[in-house]
Amino acid sequence: MNICLLNDSFPPVIDGVANVVMNYGSILTNELESNVVVGTPKYPEANYDGYPYKVVAYPSFDTTDFVKGYRTGYPLSIREIAQMAETKPDIIHTHCPAASAIMARILRRETGAPVIFTYHTKFDVDIARAVGEGILKKEAIKAMVSNIEACDDVWVVSEGAGENLRSLGYQGEYRVMPNGVDFPRGRASDGMVKELNTSYDIPEGIPLFLFVGRLMKYKGLPIIVDAMNLLSKKGIDYRMVFVGGGADAEEMQNLVKSYGISMDVYDDKGGLAHTDAMFGITGKVIFTGPIHDREKLRAWNTRADLFLFPSTYDTNGIVVREAAACGLASVLIKDSCAAEGITHGRNGYMIEENPQSMAALLEQISGDIPHLHQVGQNAMDEIYISWDQAVRIAYDRYKEINEMAKSGELGIRKHQSFEYLMNSAATVLNGTQRVFVDMPREFREGMLENYQEFRDDLKANYQNWKNGVKDNYQEFKDNIEDFRNDIQDGVENLKNDINEGIDKIKDTFSEDYSDEKYDDN
């Protein structure tokens, strides 16, 4: 099959969904002999060669300083759309409901291929974190849900993710398609585990608790630290290891320090940067920093006695399945997405969303480490799913959707006019502009430096769009009878939105930079 994968993140940005796309691309290409192309926003100086599939990087706008390292892609990049259309996709699978979804719908209009969308993340939380509460959040969610409802098949990674999608106003059907993990089933070698014990001076016979992931408070990190404080007050010995980096790492380290708990902090290169322990004894809480070596991560999951993941944000909890792959059971929040498939006391443990509940459970069960390992073995046997399994399940559904599209069984599911697509794209671009305009005053100087580049990029992209339409007009005309009227209306709407966005930026900047002169052209 010819398959087009679209997502707003991809290396050099590494996050959970980027890992999903890379695993899909690799397995579809290498194991299932598919012709795969990945479309993603371009990052300057990034190298997109060397993948087993083709990567089409389309123009993007620099929002990295304000949206945690992410760039915003232009969904109207006609040249890149044409490159992807040349592969004649049988399936278009988008993993993000913003720019990628708009591009998927334009690509569907050109090729006729059905669009599948996977809902990975609680996007309402991400949107609120980026733009705050209020009208902008409501507009963004409305546009996001509209994009999702326009897709031909909607997937969610868990029942909880589906419930969250429903809460945002989505009224269509969906199916649960779980993600896999790239850890093989089985524990890491004894040699790798012994190396950890030596490198971090971890004593045997003392319960070792583990967290792996981004160090962000919304993943429940304060619950873990507060629970460790409660255990320390009772004189219970343990080691708590945090593997990863993130915006809230320093705050969590300061919280540990404020409780008077001994702590070791390692830098990004694995060197000991700080310790509160005395007489050479390892700290009770260890921050290793980010670890990208997958075998070392397997070793941590093998060495630990319990994985602590009190997150209600995550929709699937891949790290819980990675732990299970190594025979490590997890402590999860009752009724959270990550707790789906978990039976308390058999293949994992569930607590209420507070540190007292976690501390009480850990005090109760950590005295019987062999039993913890048996629960971990049950997790390996019952909840583990590999990426190979997950992608093969997805591939079977691809074939079903492809056949349904060929037979006409899919019907027309909100295949809106070209004018509607253009307006949706303008909403994304205008929303990005509003994020910048609404930023606090201290960021405006940096925004002003990027303003000219922003305006030039918009003009260049618009010109590329016009040129692409002109070059491909006859082909479009043969396939879409009403294209001419749609494109005229669409371009006019886009032009008006762009001009309005530029005027808003100019008006905002003029208050503080009255000596700056701007060209209305």
Side-chain angles (χ1 to χ4, degrees):
M1 297 182 73
N2 298 329
I3 299 167
C4 178
L5 304 175
L6 297 168
N7 189 44
D8 284 17
S9 62
F10 193 77
V13 172
I14 299 293
D15 60 16
V17 185
N19 279 324
V20 169
V21 173
M22 287 191 292
N23 279 288
Y24 262 75
S26 296
I27 294 170
L28 287 169
T29 301
N30 297 327
E31 304 297 328
L32 298 171
E33 300 180 348
S34 296
N35 178 30
V36 175
V37 59
V38 173
T40 190
K42 184 177 183 179
Y43 281 70
E45 301 181 4
N47 183 4
Y48 296 100
D49 298 327
Y51 294 97
Y53 40 82
K54 182 179 180 180
V55 178
V56 175
Y58 54 88
S60 62
F61 175 51
D62 188 5
T63 53
T64 55
D65 289 341
F66 304 94
V67 196
K68 296 180 181 177
Y70 291 85
R71 294 180 70 91
T72 299
Y74 291 121
L76 306 179
S77 304
I78 188 65
R79 289 175 297 184
E80 287 71 24
I81 290 174
Q83 290 179 40
M84 288 182 274
E86 287 174 359
T87 67
K88 298 181 180 179
D90 299 301
I91 292 290
I92 303 164
H93 190 173
T94 176
H95 294 262
C96 181
S100 292
I102 295 170
M103 183 170 279
R105 291 163 61 190
I106 296 174
L107 191 57
R108 174 177 62 189
R109 189 175 178 91
E110 282 201 47
T111 65
V115 173
I116 295 172
F117 168 75
T118 296
Y119 187 74
H120 292 275
T121 305
K122 293 181 178 179
F123 280 99
D124 55 325
V125 178
D126 289 333
I127 290 170
R129 192 178 305 118
V131 304
E133 302 291 341
I135 186 64
L136 184 55
K137 176 186 173 182
K138 293 179 181 178
E139 290 176 353
I141 290 176
K142 182 179 178 181
M144 179 188 75
V145 171
S146 178
N147 275 333
I148 296 172
E149 289 182 336
C151 296
D152 298 291
D153 206 36
V154 176
W155 302 354
V156 297
V157 295
S158 64
E159 286 291 352
E163 293 172 5
N164 175 256
L165 183 55
R166 284 262 189 263
S167 73
L168 302 182
Y170 175 75
Q171 299 180 355
E173 298 177 354
Y174 63 77
R175 64 177 50 224
V176 177
M177 298 288 279
N179 290 326
V181 298
D182 57 7
F183 281 2
R185 187 194 304 266
R187 298 169 65 82
S189 68
D190 290 341
M192 291 292 292
V193 174
K194 288 179 180 178
E195 184 178 330
L196 285 184
N197 287 339
T198 301
S199 299
Y200 294 91
D201 192 21
I202 301 172
E204 297 284 355
I206 296 175
L208 192 153
F209 310 131
L210 177 68
F211 172 90
V212 177
R214 288 183 295 161
L215 298 188
M216 308 293 290
K217 289 190 293 185
Y218 61 75
K219 287 182 175 286
L221 299 187
I223 291 177
I224 297 177
V225 175
D226 289 349
M228 296 304 108
N229 182 42
L230 293 174
L231 294 180
S232 295
K233 286 182 176 180
K234 288 191 173 185
I236 298 172
D237 203 2
Y238 62 85
R239 294 296 181 271
M240 177 67 224
V241 178
F242 291 94
V243 177
D248 297 330
E250 185 176 357
E251 183 176 347
M252 291 300 97
Q253 292 164 12
N254 288 336
L255 183 59
V256 172
K257 187 175 182 179
S258 71
Y259 287 146
I261 303 173
S262 61
M263 174 178 63
D264 291 342
V265 179
Y266 290 78
D267 59 29
D268 292 348
K269 296 181 180 179
L272 184 61
H274 170 79
T275 181
D276 292 323
M278 300 178 65
F279 308 114
I281 300 174
T282 183
K284 281 191 173 184
V285 177
I286 301 170
F287 291 87
T288 70
I291 295 177
H292 302 294
D293 186 317
R294 302 298 285 169
E295 286 304 307
K296 288 184 178 179
L297 289 175
R298 287 187 67 218
W300 273 118
N301 280 283
T302 299
R303 174 61 182 85
D305 299 306
L306 272 176
F307 190 84
L308 307 187
F309 196 67
S311 171
T312 56
Y313 165 79
D314 290 78
T315 54
N316 187 233
I318 290 178
V319 289
V320 173
R321 271 64 186 174
E322 290 179 345
C326 303
L328 179 63
S330 297
V331 177
L332 307 161
I333 301 298
K334 182 181 178 181
D335 297 327
S336 66
C337 295
E340 290 182 19
I342 300 299
T343 300
H344 181 73
R346 172 166 179 78
N347 55 14
Y349 299 94
M350 286 181 280
I351 60 170
E352 300 299 325
E353 194 176 2
N354 60 69
Q356 292 78 17
S357 182
M358 176 175 280
L361 175 75
L362 297 181
E363 181 180 2
Q364 174 189 347
I365 66 176
S366 60
D368 188 356
I369 292 179
H371 179 69
L372 298 183
H373 293 172
Q374 181 56 54
V375 175
Q377 181 64 45
N378 294 341
M380 181 193 293
D381 296 337
E382 297 170 5
I383 71 169
Y384 170 81
I385 178 172
S386 70
W387 266 120
D388 187 74
Q389 291 174 281
V391 175
R392 287 180 185 274
I393 293 170
Y395 184 74
D396 288 341
R397 182 58 179 171
Y398 282 172
K399 290 190 290 186
E400 292 176 5
I401 293 296
N402 186 41
E403 290 301 318
M404 291 169 67
K406 288 179 178 179
S407 67
E409 186 178 346
L410 279 182
I412 299 176
R413 187 174 183 180
K414 289 197 176 181
H415 292 198
Q416 290 98 333
S417 69
F418 194 76
E419 177 182 357
Y420 184 90
L421 290 180
M422 296 290 282
N423 284 334
S424 295
T427 298
V428 171
L429 296 175
N430 200 34
T432 301
Q433 174 263 328
R434 288 181 64 183
V435 170
F436 276 79
V437 171
D438 292 339
M439 282 291 166
R441 184 177 300 272
E442 57 265 30
F443 292 122
R444 291 188 179 178
E445 183 175 354
M447 289 159 40
L448 182 61
E449 293 176 359
N450 292 322
Y451 173 78
Q452 187 62 45
E453 178 185 354
F454 169 70
R455 189 175 67 174
D456 291 344
D457 284 348
L458 279 178
K459 289 168 64 178
N461 196 58
Y462 170 63
Q463 189 62 45
N464 289 337
W465 174 257
K466 289 203 304 183
N467 293 339
V469 168
K470 183 178 179 181
D471 294 341
N472 294 285
Y473 175 74
Q474 190 58 47
E475 179 182 353
F476 289 155
K477 183 178 179 182
D478 293 341
N479 294 301
I480 306 170
E481 293 181 1
D482 63 346
F483 181 80
R484 184 174 183 176
N485 292 332
D486 283 338
I487 192 63
Q488 290 175 346
D489 294 339
V491 169
E492 190 61 31
N493 286 329
L494 176 64
K495 188 163 61 175
N496 290 339
D497 281 331
I498 291 174
N499 288 334
E500 180 182 352
I502 292 173
D503 288 338
K504 288 180 179 178
I505 294 178
K506 288 165 55 181
D507 292 341
T508 302
F509 287 148
S510 63
E511 298 177 5
D512 299 309
Y513 302 96
S514 59
D515 59 330
E516 297 289 336
K517 304 299 182 183
Y518 297 104
D519 182 358
D520 288 337
N521 294 323

